[in-house]
Amino acid sequence: MAPPYNELPRGIPLAAIKRLPVYHACLMNLSRRGVDRVSSSVLAEMAGVTASQLRQDLNYFGSFGQQGYGYKVPLLLKEIEKILGIDNEFHVVVVGVGNLGRAILEYQNFRRKGFIFDGAFDVDERLVGTEVGGVLVRHVCELAPFLSVHPADIGVIATPEEVAQDIADIMVDAGVKGILNFASMRLLVPENVVLEDINLSTALMSLACRACRGPSRGRVVTLHEGEPEQREKDR
Amino acid sequence: MAPPYNELPRGIPLAAIKRLPVYHACLMNLSRRGVDRVSSSVLAEMAGVTASQLRQDLNYFGSFGQQGYGYKVPLLLKEIEKILGIDNEFHVVVVGVGNLGRAILEYQNFRRKGFIFDGAFDVDERLVGTEVGGVLVRHVCELAPFLSVHPADIGVIATPEEVAQDIADIMVDAGVKGILNFASMRLLVPENVVLEDINLSTALMSLACRACRGPSRGRVVTLHEGEPEQREKDR
DNA sequence: TAGATTGTTAATCGATTAACAATC
DNA sequence: TAGATTGTTAATCGATTAACAATC
């Protein structure tokens, strides 16, 4: 039996999914500039990947271009938005209203991409009752009751590491499907919950390690830098 | 001719380098708890990797354990600190004193790891002259002159994306060796400058995409989650 | 010594790149 | 049609895992 039409694709590399928002940003840029058509090589150049990789990434999800022509910008934009779920609404709660929590709450672009911030939580009584990015800050002890009334898709953890696991447990129990974790601590979550870590501390340390190992040697210092040469012959 | 004793290793996977700070944090934890000795399997379990990977990662840099015994916590800690350069001083400037810039400047742990914040820069006249995290905020137009007097190793870019490339150019011209970029924009830097991007926007978007694709399917939603099973036989 | 655990090589796995047939 | 560029397969490359000999 053929798989149902709307079956979601399997076995897509995480790295490919992470590149989709980059392609999306490039296409938004083209769209704003009134560009209607783009080839894989031009779009790849903008995104900092090879044309081959761009086509491969897109092909995990479908065929959105036309041979001999390229991609229609508005059409490809719409398809990527469909994949990323930008037409959906994602309900988000943010726990920890320090600098990082604020950065998320006040970044207005998220709202345009379908993210709805339903609540923010902190232990600091001076913050409770205030608004950050237009969201009311509640006390953390209200997190579980709040989630039972306002289920969230995504939880952002921007707390000290000592409490991060407890917060994650509350979120998981409340049915959160994804957690963005800024605490520099390994969180244990069930495998049906997606976890994304952003760790400023390890990022800065590994950057310093790479940067200060003296002049360019081998693979270590040549990633992510400058424009990828057009290595593909592609004829 | 044998390579000189202090030759730095080549061809080390970036992913391995990024795991070093994680191992470091685990070892700090053990050290605080007075643990003197650890096996690769226990440490790997703490770090959320396989024992095999841990040993492989360490072996890119040397042999720090003893067969049949494991690793001396203080010794391995010291070795990793040597690799990460935690005994060095890294001079850092932060450009953009919004929420993300503040998060970096106010995170006191960095100071303990050898990071010295020499200057912070912003265009907002209300911020110029104030102190954030104990660092004086200067106007961005002073960035280039400041760097010529106080050379920095690392530059942090936490500005709006419109100006990120200009700031990066100034940093590169001033001899900065690594850039931590929070702006959601692809920066072009020469290949001898190491670039690390942290993009909250693409991180949240790809998280939402993965989290809301329905229940666990294939590789996509099973990475980074929970504890890795002990797959290694290792006898 | 016997048991344990590393260091290190080889096998596997996965992701990227190259190539080219399909086709617009 | 001829030229261009995608879609897609195959080849390459790199990173992870397994295995086990070395050895403490």
Side-chain angles (χ1 to χ4, degrees):
Chain A
M1 195 180 79
Y5 176 73
N6 240 345
E7 183 74 355
L8 291 167
R10 295 155 191 258
I12 298 166
L14 180 55
I17 292 189
K18 292 200 172 183
R19 283 188 290 265
L20 289 181
V22 179
Y23 303 150
H24 180 260
C26 296
L27 287 163
M28 289 285 279
N29 185 331
L30 289 169
S31 178
R32 262 195 303 277
R33 283 157 41 196
V35 179
D36 194 63
R37 175 194 150 184
V38 70
S39 69
S40 61
S41 56
V42 169
L43 184 55
E45 154 75 28
M46 289 180 72
V49 300
T50 62
S52 200
Q53 181 162 67
L54 170 68
R55 294 204 300 277
Q56 181 67 284
D57 285 347
L58 294 178
N59 275 117
Y60 287 121
F61 300 96
S63 305
F64 309 125
Q66 296 172 64
Q67 277 111 326
Y69 177 86
Y71 301 88
K72 285 268 184 199
V73 171
L75 188 139
L76 185 55
L77 194 54
K78 202 168 295 173
E79 291 293 347
I80 289 183
E81 296 195 340
K82 216 186 287 174
I83 298 163
L84 287 172
I86 287 180
D87 43 351
N88 300 350
E89 289 182 349
F90 300 109
H91 289 266
V92 185
V93 292
V94 176
V95 181
V97 187
N99 290 311
L100 289 169
R102 289 189 122 77
I104 292 281
L105 288 163
E106 293 180 350
Y107 187 57
Q108 296 302 325
N109 257 342
F110 287 139
R111 294 181 169 68
R112 257 172 272 148
K113 297 199 169 109
F115 293 96
I116 297 168
F117 294 93
D118 290 321
F121 299 85
D122 204 290
V123 283
D124 187 338
E125 293 291 356
R126 286 166 301 181
L127 288 173
V128 172
T130 65
E131 279 197 1
V132 174
V135 180
L136 179 65
V137 180
R138 296 174 161 83
H139 194 278
V140 164
C141 66
E142 290 183 52
L143 177 60
F146 181 90
L147 285 173
S148 70
V149 182
H150 306 89
D153 303 296
I154 308 273
V156 176
I157 298 181
T159 65
E161 47 177 304
E162 299 82 59
V163 297
Q165 183 65 59
D166 292 339
I167 301 297
D169 292 344
I170 293 172
M171 288 176 171
V172 167
D173 288 344
V176 155
K177 289 181 280 218
I179 291 177
L180 183 63
N181 174 44
F182 288 99
S184 42
M185 213 232 156
R186 188 156 90 92
L187 294 185
L188 298 176
V189 298
E191 65 160 53
N192 61 327
V193 174
V194 183
L195 181 62
E196 172 100 14
D197 288 299
I198 295 185
N199 192 328
L200 301 197
S201 183
T202 59
L204 189 56
M205 287 171 73
S206 66
L207 172 67
C209 171
R210 290 189 288 149
C212 296
R213 276 188 158 265
S216 178
R217 356 180 128 252
R219 198 180 337 149
V220 168
V221 292
T222 58
L223 293 168
H224 289 298
E225 288 155 15
E227 319 177 52
E229 314 110 53
Q230 184 68 6
R231 248 156 300 169
E232 184 183 15
K233 296 256 181 46
D234 229 15
R235 260 199 328 166
Chain B
M1 194 180 78
Y5 176 73
N6 239 344
E7 184 76 355
L8 290 168
R10 294 153 192 259
I12 297 165
L14 180 55
I17 291 189
K18 292 200 172 184
R19 282 187 291 264
L20 290 181
V22 179
Y23 303 149
H24 181 261
C26 296
L27 288 163
M28 289 285 280
N29 185 333
L30 289 169
S31 178
R32 261 195 303 277
R33 283 156 42 196
V35 178
D36 195 62
R37 174 194 149 183
V38 70
S39 69
S40 62
S41 56
V42 169
L43 184 57
E45 154 73 28
M46 290 181 72
V49 301
T50 63
S52 200
Q53 181 161 68
L54 170 68
R55 293 204 298 278
Q56 181 66 286
D57 284 349
L58 294 179
N59 275 116
Y60 287 121
F61 300 96
S63 306
F64 309 123
Q66 297 172 65
Q67 278 112 326
Y69 176 86
Y71 300 87
K72 286 267 184 200
V73 171
L75 188 140
L76 185 55
L77 194 54
K78 202 167 295 174
E79 291 292 348
I80 290 182
E81 296 195 341
K82 215 186 288 174
I83 299 162
L84 287 172
I86 286 180
D87 44 350
N88 301 349
E89 289 182 349
F90 299 109
H91 289 265
V92 185
V93 292
V94 176
V95 180
V97 188
N99 290 310
L100 289 170
R102 289 190 121 76
I104 293 280
L105 288 164
E106 293 180 351
Y107 187 56
Q108 296 302 327
N109 257 341
F110 286 139
R111 293 180 171 68
R112 256 172 275 150
K113 298 197 168 109
F115 293 96
I116 296 169
F117 294 92
D118 290 320
F121 299 84
D122 205 291
V123 284
D124 187 339
E125 293 291 356
R126 286 165 302 179
L127 288 173
V128 172
T130 65
E131 279 198 0
V132 174
V135 180
L136 179 65
V137 180
R138 295 176 161 84
H139 194 277
V140 165
C141 64
E142 290 182 53
L143 177 61
F146 182 90
L147 284 172
S148 71
V149 182
H150 306 90
D153 303 296
I154 308 274
V156 176
I157 298 181
T159 65
E161 46 178 303
E162 298 83 61
V163 298
Q165 183 65 58
D166 292 338
I167 302 297
D169 292 343
I170 292 172
M171 289 176 172
V172 167
D173 287 344
V176 156
K177 290 182 276 219
I179 292 177
L180 183 63
N181 174 43
F182 288 99
S184 42
M185 212 229 159
R186 188 156 90 91
L187 294 185
L188 299 177
V189 299
E191 66 159 53
N192 60 327
V193 173
V194 183
L195 180 63
E196 172 99 15
D197 288 298
I198 294 185
N199 192 327
L200 300 196
S201 182
T202 60
L204 189 57
M205 286 171 75
S206 67
L207 172 67
C209 172
R210 289 189 289 149
C212 296
R213 274 187 161 266
S216 177
R217 354 177 131 255
R219 196 178 342 148
V220 168
V221 292
T222 57
L223 292 168
H224 289 299
E225 287 155 16
E227 319 177 52
E229 314 111 55
Q230 184 67 5
R231 249 156 300 169
E232 184 183 14
K233 294 252 183 50
D234 232 17
R235 261 199 327 165

